[in-house]
Amino acid sequence: MRAVTLVKLPNTPKFLGCFDNNYDSWWYSNPLPGSVDEIVDSTWAYGQYHICFAKMLDNTYSIFQSKDYGVNWIQVLNFSYTIYTIIRIDYGRLLCSTSNGIYESTNAGTTWSKISNQTGLVTIKEIGSDILVAISSTGAVYKSTNRGVSWSSSGVTSRKDCIDGQNGIVLVRHDNRGDRRYLGISQDY
């Protein structure tokens, strides 16, 4: 398996890619098919498989799959609702959070099935075996202990109570004086 770095390019439906760990040799991907408005995000799925999602010019969202390290892309799914995030939770196993629920792929993004009606989860982090923590569009924090099939509320219900950091979700509480008290990172959910 070759490691690859993919960088989304502004104002174009392409990626800039590199196989070289010294970052000396870069290449352009072929454009994503269709009328892409903006590439939102991408993730590695498994082996040479990569997934990205994009907002389309008709205000739909599409999921694209590359089977060759990000050089070529095919559209595998188009939604009329918003895609918030896609995360890899295991080799070839992905979750897609949308305004219509949670979708899962168990084959590196080739096919997707709805597994949950939970909507509005804009950030999802895996914090342990089968355990996920998420922040909703309203700032509420949720936890799943079965890889996204069902979700329970943590009681944190405001954006000011959580911070989405690179190392996980940091939960904070404000006391009656307005001071922040840090409760811990997502592993301490």
Side-chain angles (χ1 to χ4, degrees), residues 8 12-15 32 36-41 52-54:
K8 66 179 181 172
T12 183
K14 295 182 182 180
F15 288 94
L32 275 63
V36 174
D37 182 26
E38 173 190 15
I39 297 172
V40 180
D41 201 6
C52 77
F53 69 99

Side-chain angles (χ1 to χ4, degrees), residues 23-140:
Y23 304 105
D24 292 329
S25 179
W26 291 86
W27 45 267
Y28 288 104
S29 73
N30 288 315
L32 275 63
S35 300
V36 174
D37 182 26
E38 173 190 15
I39 297 172
V40 180
D41 201 6
S42 66
T43 192
W44 171 65
Y46 177 74
Q48 73 272 19
Y49 289 83
H50 286 75
I51 296 295
C52 77
F53 69 99
K55 183 177 180 190
M56 307 303 282
L57 287 174
D58 63 0
N59 288 320
T60 62
Y61 283 79
S62 289
I63 298 175
F64 297 90
Q65 179 190 56
S66 173
K67 298 178 182 181
D68 59 4
Y69 299 98
V71 175
N72 296 293
W73 295 88
I74 58 170
Q75 183 181 25
V76 293
L77 192 59
N78 180 263
F79 287 130
S80 61
Y81 28 87
T82 304
I83 297 176
Y84 297 115
T85 190
I86 295 178
I87 66 162
R88 181 181 65 85
I89 59 172
D90 205 350
Y91 295 111
R93 187 158 188 228
L94 303 146
L95 290 184
C96 174
S97 175
T98 75
S99 59
N100 187 50
I102 306 291
Y103 291 77
E104 175 187 52
S105 174
T106 58
N107 53 13
T110 302
T111 59
W112 295 84
S113 301
K114 189 173 182 179
I115 62 166
S116 172
N117 289 322
Q118 182 67 49
T119 61
L121 301 180
V122 296
T123 301
I124 301 174
K125 301 283 184 186
E126 183 178 23
I127 62 169
S129 179
D130 297 337
I131 301 173
L132 305 169
V133 174
I135 298 175
S136 75
S137 55
T138 62

Side-chain angles (χ1 to χ4, degrees), residues 163 168-173 181-189:
I163 302 166
I169 299 168
V170 178
L171 302 178
V172 297
R173 283 281 193 209
R181 189 182 82 192
Y182 292 90
L183 301 176
I185 60 173
S186 57
Q187 286 84 353
D188 296 330
Y189 177 92

